[in-house]
Amino acid sequence: MNAVDVSILGSGPVAFSLGLALARQGLRVALPRVPPLAAAGDLRAYALNAAARTLLKSLKVWDALPADAVTPVYDMHVEGDGSDQTGGRLDFSAWQQGVEALAWIVDAAELDRALHTAARFAPHLVLDSGDVKAALTVLAEGKDSAARDALGVRFERHGYGQVAVAARLRADKPHAGVARQWFRSPDVLALLPLDRPQPQASYALVWSLPGERAQALLQADDAAFEQALAEATGGAAGRLALASARAGWPLSIARAERLCGAGWVLVGDAAHVVHPLAGQGLNLGLADVATLARVIAGREPWRRLSDEVLLRRYARERALPTQAMARLTDGLLHLFATEQPALRELRNRGMTLLNHFAPLKRLLTARALDA
Ligand SMILES: Cc1cc2nc3c(=O)[nH]c(=O)nc-3n(C[C@H](O)[C@H](O)[C@H](O)COP(=O)(O)OP(=O)(O)OC[C@H]3O[C@@H](n4cnc5c(N)ncnc54)[C@H](O)[C@@H]3O)c2cc1C
């Protein structure tokens, strides 16, 4: 049996980022050995914020990503339900906000590949699928974490009855670094600019829809799907054609009743799940990583890694931002799903007002850049 300081369960981006961050402190860390390129089929692209980018840069992972796997977002257009005359609109611009980019769209499979490659070469990191003995066990198994359930930690989960349909698209005009999002009750559709498969003219699609409609669109032939897409986007991003298969993710909001105990701690989706409409799930998970790594690095020399007092410092710091993001995404979803005409009008007028109020927009951008 391998004896290590920290054993991390899970093979996603949060587990591997944390493994790299802790190994850099000289701790002996175990991560599961997973088959190479296991995530090659992931069609998603993550919108990552500046804090996530800073963390991945410090782990030497960001600069190892292929150039066409990372696309900066310079502008973002958000549209409310446009079926009435007050259809609201919000525009964000990196230039106006005084930031380098609003977000970076990163190919999910390439991020996994870069993390797993870095882990193979990191000193102090053991890739081991067998039994390991560790002072601290980190549960980073994603939303269906078996180890969390085995510990008896309650995971309060509410299904949205929605499925996110993801696919890669080609456009017949350049994306120009513009992300677009439509809130068309009850759908939320996002086009995230990407440079692959076609440089300057591809998008990652995330289309959240009620379950039945999502299943119909997942099974529709390519022409019918592209027609539905054209109607939903109104041609704003040009003519869009499928450039990949389609995949669906059932959506829910969830959070663990507690984040740590003696000798164990939860991070990433194993701890909290949010709707992808704001593209914040992995940003929250990477902020967990940065916080836990900092708390561990700053522990008193005599304090053990398993000490719950130490782990509670991490839990206290992460409780507020993760709850706030869950409330924000959930609130937005309900606000845009409302069928009440008065509320819809108020919402759309609010968006239009906000669109002209630069300081508040700057505040919103700053929050999104630093989950
Ligand atoms: C459609 C969609 C779009 C999204 N877009 C964005 C976005 O734009 N920006 C953003 O920040 N977030 C986004 N998210 C959220 C993001 O995908 C998650 O927050 C993120 O993947 C969580 O990472 P994780 O490592 O905690 O969990 P996961 O990605 O779920 O990884 C955990 C992995 O560990 C494996 N595993 C479980 N148990 C074990 C074990 N014992 N040993 C080995 N492996 C194990 C699981 O099978 C899983 O593959 C999106 C989500 C969806 C569904």
Side-chain angles (χ1 to χ4, degrees):
M1 186 184 291
N2 245 321
V4 293
D5 297 309
V6 184
S7 166
I8 303 177
L9 307 181
S11 52
V14 170
F16 272 68
S17 302
L18 183 66
L20 290 170
L22 295 182
R24 284 168 71 85
Q25 296 180 21
L27 292 169
R28 218 170 128 71
V29 181
L31 274 166
R33 180 180 294 282
V34 283
L37 308 184
D42 198 329
L43 291 171
R44 287 173 300 173
Y46 302 122
L48 294 186
N49 64 20
R53 178 176 176 252
T54 302
L55 173 74
L56 292 170
K57 265 186 178 286
S58 75
L59 301 178
K60 311 274 182 251
V61 167
W62 188 268
D63 294 323
L65 289 165
D68 67 346
V70 181
T71 307
V73 177
Y74 299 119
D75 291 283
M76 178 161 181
H77 304 312
V78 181
E79 274 185 39
D81 200 325
S83 58
D84 55 26
Q85 290 200 328
T86 60
R89 185 185 166 94
L90 265 176
D91 302 300
F92 295 94
S93 137
W95 179 75
Q96 260 181 6
Q97 312 286 317
V99 292
E100 187 183 340
L102 293 172
W104 288 262
I105 310 302
V106 179
D107 183 283
E110 286 293 355
L111 178 60
D112 268 336
R113 194 172 292 135
L115 284 164
H116 286 228
T117 304
R120 273 209 303 281
F121 296 107
H124 313 300
L125 230 164
V126 189
L127 298 174
D128 190 336
S129 296
D131 264 355
V132 288
K133 191 172 167 335
L136 173 62
T137 302
V138 182
L139 282 56
E141 296 179 307
K143 61 184 182 347
D144 298 319
S145 170
R148 179 196 61 217
D149 295 347
L151 276 172
V153 177
R154 205 150 54 88
F155 197 55
E156 290 170 26
R157 197 192 299 236
H158 301 283
Y160 280 118
Q162 285 197 338
V163 171
V165 175
R168 296 296 168 85
L169 309 170
R170 270 195 194 87
D172 68 351
K173 65 181 199 189
H175 58 58
V178 180
R180 298 173 187 277
Q181 194 165 29
W182 288 265
F183 286 86
R184 297 265 157 81
S185 167
D187 301 6
V188 184
L189 189 156
L191 290 181
L192 308 175
L194 208 61
D195 287 337
R196 61 164 57 179
Q198 191 165 305
Q200 313 282 320
S202 308
Y203 288 97
L205 168 75
V206 186
W207 195 353
S208 308
L209 305 129
E212 256 181 51
R213 168 109 173 105
Q215 289 311 328
L217 282 175
L218 283 167
Q219 281 152 20
D221 61 36
D222 287 6
F225 186 82
E226 287 167 4
Q227 178 58 32
L229 201 54
E231 282 162 20
T233 59
R239 191 132 56 86
L240 299 169
L242 277 165
S244 74
R246 286 157 261 170
W249 274 267
L251 300 180
S252 57
I253 180 170
R255 72 177 293 106
E257 60 169 339
R258 50 194 295 228
L259 288 183
C260 64
W264 63 269
V265 65
L266 288 169
V267 291
D269 273 22
H272 41 70
V273 178
V274 294
H275 193 290
L277 68 88
Q280 289 295 338
L282 182 54
N283 287 312
L284 286 175
L286 293 178
D288 292 350
V289 168
T291 306
L292 185 57
R294 178 168 38 76
V295 163
I296 286 178
R299 73 191 183 283
E300 301 85 346
W302 44 266
R303 197 172 293 281
R304 288 166 190 257
L305 286 168
S306 57
D307 193 333
E308 200 177 334
V309 172
L310 173 74
L311 303 172
R312 271 199 242 121
R313 291 176 191 159
Y314 153 80
R316 269 197 303 274
E317 216 177 295
R318 293 306 295 150
L320 206 66
T322 51
Q323 271 172 34
M325 191 55 76
R327 272 200 291 269
L328 181 73
T329 49
D330 196 51
L332 276 174
L333 191 72
H334 286 104
L335 183 65
F336 282 97
T338 184
E339 293 295 334
Q340 291 181 36
L343 263 183
R344 278 175 47 180
E345 188 178 330
L346 200 66
R347 172 199 74 204
N348 291 342
R349 285 191 195 286
M351 280 176 82
T352 307
L353 244 174
L354 177 60
N355 209 22
H356 292 103
F357 195 47
L360 194 49
K361 281 209 291 190
R362 256 197 294 282
L363 198 78
L364 280 175
T365 314
R367 278 217 58 153
L369 284 173
D370 200 16

